[in-house]
């Protein structure tokens, strides 16, 4: 379906052409003087030089052909040569009816669906999910949903960190605590127990303990390094422990991501890429890309025109161990082989940017990807506390995601109960739904690359640019519609008509921007544009609501037109928040 902007530009272009000018001048923009008009065209100003004519003369010629336009109620020349435009109410009403019938509310699905893999989440097994992983999950999930909505095949991969020193640390700490376990008995030949020798609670306590100790105790650290090494070589007892650790933590991670309404198509992990490393490294050597430098194996990735030094990409350390870079390169090999993506997008903390520059350049240079495979990095900023420093608990520790969510839900619950008397169970459920909107909208409404301040008071407020405000607006619409239905009203024979007042027209004009907003949000990987859009729509709706008697309107056709517009507004807002990864309750 055509965008309103396109239709208007076509009208203008055709008028320019009929008046004997180049149709290219017929571009239309939103008015920068909303007090004077809704849209404007500056083409006559742009054309003045080429035609050696005063701009207002060109504009006069052009508007003569807009007199009978079915699109514009006003096309007026103002000096020195702007064309001020207003849209005709009937035309806008008809456009709303078409939007309501369009499956995607005017978003044009792509004609060339691409396979896009998104690498997001990136939690590390056995370490609790903390707020650092929150942004990746929230932003990645939203981009995945937007990508699908515009018609691409999007594959989300959690890419678990399961292959590093943390595994060796846990094994070492376990060995110190329970040396009698069969996993540590080298002569043991039997089957290993099916049950893990620890719970998730114990596991989460073991890791920080081991990590702290390894920083003070060198022998302990060496032991952990050795355990990591043995694990990576496949020592059976350690592999069995690794399986237990994986099982226990993945169950817990899935529960956490479920609560966040974040889901992954693939639960792949760093260790899955390990089998690809030997061949990949050999090829890089054989083709002359990889060379030894002080015992390590590296590939140069600096390029002409670099303004800062890009160090070589390291493949193997001098002891032959692989690195984070090696794993990411081998993961690219695996992804190309199994999924043939047109693009791989990484949603990771922007402090890892250099790592990804090295990985992308190396992958391209050594031919791991095809020429037109896109490798993109969306580096997000840090989530800070009110003090402007990375978010911490009151005690100064790393904030666990679960606790953060519980805090927000509690705050939401308090506000909801304060607001009205809902049954307790309802209020708890509602608080969870609204709490999620507070967290996600609070994050997504900022440009992803920027740092932002996680402000519980502001995010949970029902007023201002917040998730709860958007949900409050949706719930308000739903309650009007259900009251109408309860009173026996039907929507039969109803249709959206020309706007009855300015605030209704303004709401309609805001709604028309849905298609271009979603398309741009996808192209620019910018969910914050959808947030800005629904904030404007909500404001426009609330002004309309305050200025218009809806249910007490006496003219039945007009009343149904209002209610139909309410339905459309609700559907568009609910579609938009679904793209952001949250939903609205029935009541609040
Ligand atoms: N596990 C990593 C971390 O916590 C993030 C992984 C990001 N993805 C990747 N392919 N490197 O920092």
């Amino acid at each position: 379906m055509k965008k309103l902007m396109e239709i208007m530009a076509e009208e203008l272009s055709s008028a320019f052409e009929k008046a004997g000018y180049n149709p290219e001048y017929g571009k239309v923009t939103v008015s920068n003087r909303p007090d004077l008009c809704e849209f404007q065209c500056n083409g006559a100003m742009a054309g003045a030089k080429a035609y050696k004519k005063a701009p207002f003369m060109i504009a006069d010629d052009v508007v003569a052909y807009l007199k009978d336009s079915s699109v514009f109620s006003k096309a007026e020349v103002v000096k020195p040569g702007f064309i001020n435009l207003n849209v005709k109410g009937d035309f806008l009403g008809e456009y709303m009816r078409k939007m309501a019938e369009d499956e995607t509310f005017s978003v044009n699905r792509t004609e060339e669906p691409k396979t896009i893999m998104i690498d997001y989440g990136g939690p590390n097994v056995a370490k609790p999910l903390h707020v650092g992983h929150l942004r990746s999950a929230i932003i990645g999930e939203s981009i995945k949903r937007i990508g699908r909505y515009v018609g691409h095949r999007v594959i989300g991969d959690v890419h678990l960190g399961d292959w590093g020193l943390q595994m060796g640390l846990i094994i070492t700490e376990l060995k110190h605590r329970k040396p009698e376990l069969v996993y540590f008995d080298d002569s043991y030949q039997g089957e290993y127990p099916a049950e893990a020798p620890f719970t998730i609670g114990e596991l989460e306590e073991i890791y920080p303990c081991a990590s702290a100790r390894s920083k003070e105790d060198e022998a302990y650290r060496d032991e952990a390094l050795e355990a990591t090494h043995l694990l990576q070589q496949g020592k059976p007892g350690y592999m069995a422990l690794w399986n237990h650790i994986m099982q226990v933590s993945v169950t817990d991670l899935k529960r956490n991501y479920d609560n966040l309404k974040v889901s992954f198509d693939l639960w792949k992990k760093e260790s899955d890429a390990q089998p690809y490393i030997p061949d990949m490294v050999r090829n890089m050597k054989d083709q002359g890309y990889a060379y030894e430098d002080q015992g390590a194996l590296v590939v140069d990735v600096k390029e002409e025109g670099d303004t800062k030094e890009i160090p070589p990409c390291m493949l193997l350390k001098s002891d032959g161990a692989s690195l984070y870079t090696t794993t990411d390169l081998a993961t690219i090999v695996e992804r190309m082989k199994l999924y043939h993506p047109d693009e791989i997008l990484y949603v990771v903390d922007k402090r890892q940017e250099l790592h990804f520059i090295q990985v992308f350049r190396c992958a391209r240079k050594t031919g791991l990807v095809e020429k037109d495979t896109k490798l993109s990095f969306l580096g997000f900023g840090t989530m800070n506390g009110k003090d402007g420093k990375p978010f911490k608990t009151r005690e100064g520790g790393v904030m666990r995601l679960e606790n953060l969510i519980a805090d927000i839900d509690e705050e939401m619950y308090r506000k909801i109960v304060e607001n009205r008397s809902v049954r307790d169970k309802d209020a708890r459920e509602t608080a969870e739904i609204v709490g999620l909107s507070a967290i996600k909208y609070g994050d997504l409404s900022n440009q992803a690359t920027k740092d932002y301040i996680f402000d519980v008071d502001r995010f949970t407020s029902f007023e201002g640019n917040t998730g709860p405000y958007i949900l409050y607006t949706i719930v308000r619409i739903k309650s009007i519609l259900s009251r109408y239905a309860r009173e026996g009203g039907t929507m039969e024979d109803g249709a959206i008509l020309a706007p009855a007042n300015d605030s209704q027209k303004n709401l309609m004009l805001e709604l028309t921007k849905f298609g271009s907003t979603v398309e741009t949000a996808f192209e620019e990987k910018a969910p914050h544009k959808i947030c800005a859009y629904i904030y404007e729509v909500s404001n426009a709706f609330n002004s309309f609501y305050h200025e218009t008697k809806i249910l007490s309107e006496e003219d039945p056709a007009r009343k149904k037109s209002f209610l139909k517009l309410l339905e459309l507004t609700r559907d568009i807002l609910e579609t938009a928040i679904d793209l952001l990864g949250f939903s609205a309750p029935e009541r609040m």
Side-chain angles (χ1 to χ4, degrees), residues 402-418:
E402 252 181 308
N403 300 344
L404 176 96
I405 296 175
D407 284 358
I408 292 262
D409 288 354
E410 197 51 44
E411 180 61 17
M412 268 341 307
Y413 177 71
R414 205 182 56 70
K415 286 193 174 156
I416 287 170
V417 174
E418 192 180 271

Side-chain angles (χ1 to χ4, degrees), residues 119 122 124 133 159 324 328 346 348 352 356:
D119 180 315
N124 300 310
H133 296 112
H159 197 71
Y324 188 42
D328 264 326
Y346 297 80
V348 184
Q352 295 193 24
F356 284 101

Side-chain angles (χ1 to χ4, degrees), residues 472-539:
Y472 194 79
T473 307
I474 296 174
V475 167
R476 170 174 274 168
I477 300 176
K478 287 184 177 180
S479 83
I480 301 171
L481 290 168
S482 56
R483 200 161 98 216
Y484 176 67
R486 258 200 324 275
E487 288 166 2
T490 73
M491 285 296 191
E492 259 168 65
D493 312 321
I496 304 179
L497 307 174
N501 56 38
D502 284 351
S503 62
Q504 191 185 11
K505 188 172 193 191
N506 185 41
L507 172 60
M508 289 179 170
L509 288 173
E510 286 300 336
L511 290 174
T512 61
K513 297 176 193 158
F514 182 70
S516 55
T517 301
V518 173
E519 288 167 29
T520 313
F522 177 71
E523 278 154 28
E524 298 176 6
K525 315 232 154 59
H528 72 279
K529 299 212 160 161
I530 295 183
C531 293
Y533 168 77
I534 57 177
Y535 181 53
E536 289 303 325
V537 169
S538 298
N539 287 338

Side-chain angles (χ1 to χ4, degrees), residues 39 71 75 91 159 169 186 207 222 281 283 293 296 317 327 339 344 384 405-406 444-445 478 487 540 547 576 588:
F39 299 93
V71 178
F91 179 81
H159 197 71
L169 282 166
D186 287 340
Y207 173 75
D222 288 344
V281 169
N283 281 336
D293 182 24
K317 290 200 281 196
T327 295
Y339 310 103
I344 309 176
N384 289 323
I405 296 175
L444 292 169
S445 54
K478 287 184 177 180
E487 288 166 2
E547 284 167 30
M588 242 158 109

